[in-house]
Every structure is written in structure tokens, then in C-alpha cells.
């Protein structure tokens, strides 16, 4: 990719990247052991959070050139934000990364192919839910028609890069899009909950959404699912399309009647983190800034809500034996942004028919990171292979996750490691329904 002249890139950084936030970094190095790319690159400083911040500031100040090496350093960042809990100065690295990618996107020259790909993805697929439904119908047709079996049989997938091959194997069976069952109405509910159904979750992972509703209804909640909601905007925001992310945020704020609900629940860690930062995203929007803060205050992850509703006591009453050995891989954004760490572990440890074992380095990214595993396959696979060695060390038969990207990545890793006969990966909600029903 050929950049426009440096003065244009510098101008974009001056306009869009906060100097105040950059100066918060004290270069102490506490972030280094928390950063997967720093570790995987052989402790290369340019691939650490403080190294990337130095690059951002250098470009903004006009003393560092934007070239292939600096572009690689920014592109190779997972955006997992594990550096933030480790930082004693409270550096808002995730916001700096979003600002940087937005600045780069506005200043660099892009090929026609990239322009078309971005337009399809961000102006259609992750903006209009009907487009997402149509796309997943094509995936379902590929699976149900027998084409998938034939493609695998003739070895056609061998023509694709390793990560794409593993992702194709790990892809869930896409359910037929049917009308959702009527929601249960409770006279004296424990809580009134709005459900953020998401774009990918409500199409490719529709079963998990249905199970989420089923669990919450079992625990006495009244649920509403606003029809006007759209994609959370996380993929837009993480890919340098901040203005388009703001459009999605405004649509979602308008879609929910916040006065009638206790919480807005979601079951995807990446979505939940972005939803909970609408206040930051729209801080300069006079019409939406205050509403966004109220919206943020209503966001809750499904595992946190289940703990509030007493799921642990319900699980302890389960009498049938399963004898599962389970472990848990954190969703980076659920852990590092929403700071939800203990709740999933508390739930899983409450199941009498299962034994929970902690996964070594569970807090380190699995290498999925949205579409990172497709754009930076080599680094993603190195991280994933290390993760699979950790899974093998536990001897667990089930790996639990709380995010669709993590789930696909872990399933791909299980296939890649040849462990499909002894290990499977499940979303926490699907596993809980399996235990309770």
C-alpha cells in the first residue's frame, strides 16, 4: 500500500490522534508481558503497546516516517487491550488505536479492491441486518446443498491459506432463519431486560441467542428485542471507520427505550465492550452524548446478569452426572474493557457435574480479534498454536468461550491440532442449556 506524502499522514494524526492521551504513557513497560504480539515477535519493542504509542507520537510530531514498517506495527496489533489493565497510568490504548487507524484510513491511498471490500462490509453487510441475513442464507445453502461436502472431498480448500481452511472446518451449521418463538411474559418479573441480539449472533449463531433468551426466561426475566437495532459498530470502529461506527451507535441508542428496562444484555464480549463505550464514541455529539452515557450504564454481559439472577444456585441443584472437565478462554474485550473476569468462572465452578480447571494464559488473546485472523494469518496462527498447547495441558474436554469470534477461533485451533475427537468448544450459554435441560 502506497501512502500519501508524510505531511498528509502527519496532518491526519494531528487532527485525529489525541496528544493528551499519547502523553499519558510513561514508557514503564508494565504492558510488555501482557502483549501477545510483543511476545510472539521475540520481544520486539515495535510490536509492544509502548512501542506503538511511540510510533503514533512520532508520526504526529513529524519525526517518524509512515512506511511499511510502521504500518506493519499498527496492523499487527490485535487490539485485545490486555495492556490496559496492566497499565499503572491508565493509558487509553484502545482509543488511541482506534484514532490511529481512523487517521491512517483517511490519509493513505487505497486500492480499488480495498475500497470495494470496505464499502460492501461497512456500508452494507454490517450496517443492514437484512444483508447479513442474506449472506448467511448463502452460507446455509453451501452447507445444506452438499456443496460443502464436495468441496472438501475434492480437496478444493487446500488451495486456500491455512487459517481459512481451519475456519471453514470450524464454521457452525447455520440454522434456517425462522420466526422467533413468542417471548414469555411474566407478571412479576425479576428484571425487565432488553436483548442486544447482534448481527452475526442473530444469524450464524442464532441458536446461542435463542438459548440466551431461554435462560433468562427460566430465571424470571421479561425480555424485549428491539427490531430497529443494528450491528454494534465494533468492526467499523476497529477498522478505522469511526464515523460509520457512530452512525450505528446512534441507531442503537434510538432503538432502545431505556426508561422501561433494567439492563441491555449481550452475549458477545466484543460487542459488549463496544456498546459500553458509546459514551466515549459520541462524547462530542451534542444530541447523543448524554443519552450515550445512560445507554452505557445499562449494558451488561450475559454472564454478569446470570450471576445477578442466581444461576449458580440453579446449577448446584442439577442432579444428573456428566463428569465434564471444562476450561475457559477469556474474551479479550470482556476481560480487558468490561473487566468481567470472575463471573464466567463462578458460573462454571458451580456446576456439580463438571470439574473446572483454569486454562494457562486464559487472559491472553486467542488470535481471533475480529477479522485479524483473516488479515494477519501468520501471527494469528502462532498465537492460536500456543493456545492449543495450553488447552492440551489442561486435559479438558470442553473449552468454554463468551464471544463468537473466540468460539470460531478455538474450534479452528482444535481442528488444526487434531484434537476434534477429544475436545470441543462451546459458548457458555449453549453449555449451560446443555447442563440444565
Amino acid at each position: 500500500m502506497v501512502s500519501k506524502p508524510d505531511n498528509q499522514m502527519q496532518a491526519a494524526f494531528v487532527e485525529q490522534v489525541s496528544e493528551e492521551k499519547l502523553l499519558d504513557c510513561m514508557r514503564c513497560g508494565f504492558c510488555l508481558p501482557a502483549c501477545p504480539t510483543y511476545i510472539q515477535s521475540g520481544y520486539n519493542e515495535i510490536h509492544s503497546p509502548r512501542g506503538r504509542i511511540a510510533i503514533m507520537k512520532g508520526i504526529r510530531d513529524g519525526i517518524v516516517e509512515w512506511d511499511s514498517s510502521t504500518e506493519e506495527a499498527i496492523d499487527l496489533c490485535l487490539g485485545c487491550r490486555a495492556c490496559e489493565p496492566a497499565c499503572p497510568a491508565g493509558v487509553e490504548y484502545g482509543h488511541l488505536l482506534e484514532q490511529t487507524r481512523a487517521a491512517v484510513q483517511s490519509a493513505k491511498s487505497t486500492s480499488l479492491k480495498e475500497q470495494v471490500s470496505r464499502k460492501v462490509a461497512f456500508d452494507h453487510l454490517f450496517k443492514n441486518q437484512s444483508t447479513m441475513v442474506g449472506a448467511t442464507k448463502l452460507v446455509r445453502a453451501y452447507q445444506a446443498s452438499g456443496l460443502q461436502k464436495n468441496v472438501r472431498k475434492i480437496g478444493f480448500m487446500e488451495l486456500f491459506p491455512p487459517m481459512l481452511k481451519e475456519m471453514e472446518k470450524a464454521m457452525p451449521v447455520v440454522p434456517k432463519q425462522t420466526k422467533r418463538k413468542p417471548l414469555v411474559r411474566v407478571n412479576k418479573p425479576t428484571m425487565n431486560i432488553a436483548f442486544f441480539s447482534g448481527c452475526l449472533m442473530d444469524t450464524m449463531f442464532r441458536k446461542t441467542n435463542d438459548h440466551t433468551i431461554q435462560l433468562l426466561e427460566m430465571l424470571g426475566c421479561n425480555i424485549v428485542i428491539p427490531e430497529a437495532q443494528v450491528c454494534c459498530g465494533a468492526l467499523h470502529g476497529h477498522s478505522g471507520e469511526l464515523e460509520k461506527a457512530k452512525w450505528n451507535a446512534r441507531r442503537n441508542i434510538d432503538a432502545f427505550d431505556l426508561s422501561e428496562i433494567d439492563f441491555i444484555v449481550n452475549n458477545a464480549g466484543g460487542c459488549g465492550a463496544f456498546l459500553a463505550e458509546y459514551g466515549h464514541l459520541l462524547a462530542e455529539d451534542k444530541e447523543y452524548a448524554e443519552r450515550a452515557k445512560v445507554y452505557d450504564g445499562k449494558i451488561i454481559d450475559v454472564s454478569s446478569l446470570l450471576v445477578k439472577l442466581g444461576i449458580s444456585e440453579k446449577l448446584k441443584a442439577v442432579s444428573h452426572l456428566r463428569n465434564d472437565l471444562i476450561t475457559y478462554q477469556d474474551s479479550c474485550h470482556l476481560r480487558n474493557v468490561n473487566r468481567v473476569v470472575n463471573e464466567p468462572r463462578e458460573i462454571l465452578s458451580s456446576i456439580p457435574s463438571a470439574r473446572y480447571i483454569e486454562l494457562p494464559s486464559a487472559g491472553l488473546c486467542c488470535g481471533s480479534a475480529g477479522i485479524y485472523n483473516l488479515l494477519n494469518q501468520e501471527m494469528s496462527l502462532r498465537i492460536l498454536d500456543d493456545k492449543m498447547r495450553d488447552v492440551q495441558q489442561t486435559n479438558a474436554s470442553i473449552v468454554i468461550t463468551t464471544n463468537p469470534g473466540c468460539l470460531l477461533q478455538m474450534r479452528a485451533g482444535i481442528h488444526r491440532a487434531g484434537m476434534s475427537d477429544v475436545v470441543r468448544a462451546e459458548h457458555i450459554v449453549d453449555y449451560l442449556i446443555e447442563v440444565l435441560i
Side-chain angles (χ1 to χ4, degrees):
M1 189 65 63
V2 178
S3 299
K4 292 181 180 178
D6 282 352
N7 60 341
Q8 294 191 38
M9 185 64 74
Q10 182 190 1
F13 270 65
V14 169
E15 180 183 356
Q16 299 184 57
V17 183
S18 168
E19 184 175 32
E20 182 180 355
K21 286 183 169 60
L22 288 171
L23 292 173
D24 286 339
C25 179
M26 303 183 300
R27 312 290 191 267
C28 66
F30 278 85
C31 60
L32 299 182
C35 179
T37 54
Y38 174 71
I39 296 168
Q40 290 293 338
S41 66
Y43 309 106
N44 187 340
E45 184 73 24
I46 198 173
H47 295 309
S48 72
R50 73 175 180 184
R52 292 183 174 110
I53 289 174
I55 289 171
M56 296 172 192
K57 189 173 187 310
I59 292 171
R60 194 183 193 282
D61 293 344
I63 59 175
V64 172
E65 181 183 359
W66 178 258
D67 57 19
S68 59
S69 65
T70 50
E71 184 168 16
E72 180 188 41
I74 299 301
D75 286 348
L76 273 183
C77 179
L78 291 149
C80 68
R81 296 172 68 169
C83 50
E84 293 187 15
C87 178
V91 174
E92 297 179 10
Y93 179 83
H95 297 160
L96 284 170
L97 182 65
E98 288 176 356
Q99 292 171 0
T100 294
R101 286 178 171 167
V104 171
Q105 192 58 35
S106 68
K108 76 175 184 178
S109 299
T110 55
S111 65
L112 179 61
K113 179 181 178 181
E114 182 176 346
Q115 292 175 35
V116 171
S117 298
R118 281 181 168 269
K119 188 167 185 61
V120 170
F122 300 129
D123 291 357
H124 298 284
L125 188 60
F126 292 103
K127 183 176 182 180
N128 188 331
Q129 187 66 357
S130 63
T131 308
M132 179 65 74
V133 170
T136 51
K137 282 182 178 178
L138 292 177
V139 176
R140 175 174 167 76
Y142 166 71
Q143 294 174 330
S145 65
L147 181 59
Q148 183 182 49
K149 290 182 180 178
N150 290 330
V151 163
R152 292 176 176 178
K153 185 175 181 180
I154 65 175
F156 182 70
M157 291 305 300
E158 296 303 315
L159 300 175
F160 290 84
M163 191 70 242
L164 282 177
K165 289 191 295 182
E166 301 301 344
M167 293 297 287
E168 194 274 342
K169 293 176 184 176
M171 189 165 50
V173 176
V174 177
K176 186 176 181 180
Q177 289 291 312
T178 57
K179 190 173 182 180
R180 181 167 272 123
K181 294 179 181 179
L183 299 171
V184 173
R185 306 309 299 169
V186 181
N187 289 330
K188 294 182 179 181
T190 52
M191 288 185 187
N192 291 309
I193 301 297
F195 181 41
F196 186 85
S197 52
C199 49
L200 196 63
M201 288 302 300
D202 215 36
T203 48
M204 189 169 288
F205 292 93
R206 179 67 173 266
K207 180 187 73 170
T208 304
N209 272 4
D210 290 342
H211 284 165
T212 300
I213 294 166
Q214 187 179 357
L215 268 179
L216 295 176
E217 287 180 339
M218 286 170 58
L219 294 166
C221 292
N222 271 341
I223 301 168
V224 294
I225 308 175
E227 293 184 4
Q229 63 180 295
V230 296
C231 168
C232 67
L235 284 177
H236 303 74
H238 300 332
S239 301
E241 301 283 355
L242 282 178
E243 290 306 313
K244 293 175 183 178
K246 291 176 183 178
W247 186 92
N248 284 40
R250 295 183 190 104
R251 283 286 303 273
N252 283 326
I253 291 169
D254 288 339
F256 287 77
D257 184 355
L258 302 182
S259 65
E260 297 294 324
I261 57 174
D262 297 303
F263 292 107
I264 301 171
V265 67
N266 70 89
N267 56 16
C271 298
F274 203 75
L275 292 169
E277 293 194 328
Y278 277 0
H280 165 78
L281 185 67
L282 299 174
E284 303 302 319
D285 188 317
K286 292 181 180 179
E287 182 181 353
Y288 282 87
E290 290 304 316
R291 294 173 63 194
K293 290 180 183 178
V294 176
Y295 188 93
D296 289 358
K298 296 282 186 177
I299 298 297
I300 191 169
D301 175 69
V302 67
S303 61
S304 297
L305 181 58
L306 290 173
V307 169
K308 286 180 180 291
L309 292 169
I311 186 71
S312 297
E313 294 306 312
K314 195 171 188 68
L315 288 168
K316 288 175 183 176
V318 173
S319 58
H320 55 274
L321 296 178
R322 298 171 53 88
N323 200 31
D324 296 331
L325 181 58
I326 57 177
T327 193
Y328 172 68
Q329 167 62 32
D330 285 278
S331 156
C332 290
H333 287 96
L334 183 62
R335 181 187 181 104
N336 301 323
V337 181
N338 295 121
R339 306 296 171 96
V340 175
V341 179
N342 295 327
E343 290 88 334
R345 291 169 169 82
E346 178 182 333
I347 292 170
L348 297 174
S349 299
S350 300
I351 303 172
S353 57
R355 183 163 65 90
Y356 175 75
I357 183 169
E358 185 69 14
L359 178 66
S361 302
L364 283 179
C365 184
C366 64
S368 172
I371 56 173
Y372 182 97
N373 52 4
L374 302 178
L375 300 177
N376 298 285
Q377 295 182 34
E378 182 183 351
M379 179 63 77
S380 176
L381 285 173
R382 284 160 61 183
I383 293 170
L384 181 59
D385 288 345
D386 278 357
K387 187 66 65 176
M388 287 303 106
R389 283 188 280 273
D390 288 343
V391 171
Q392 286 179 311
Q393 185 178 327
T394 67
N395 291 317
S397 57
I398 305 174
V399 181
I400 305 296
T401 73
T402 47
N403 188 63
C406 303
L407 181 58
L408 286 176
Q409 182 82 341
M410 297 304 287
R411 286 177 176 173
I414 289 168
H415 279 289
R416 179 175 168 82
M419 301 190 298
S420 299
D421 292 339
V422 292
V423 185
R424 61 186 171 102
E426 296 290 345
H427 191 285
I428 190 170
V429 167
D430 296 321
Y431 182 66
L432 291 176
I433 285 291
E434 186 181 314
V435 169
L436 290 167
I437 302 301

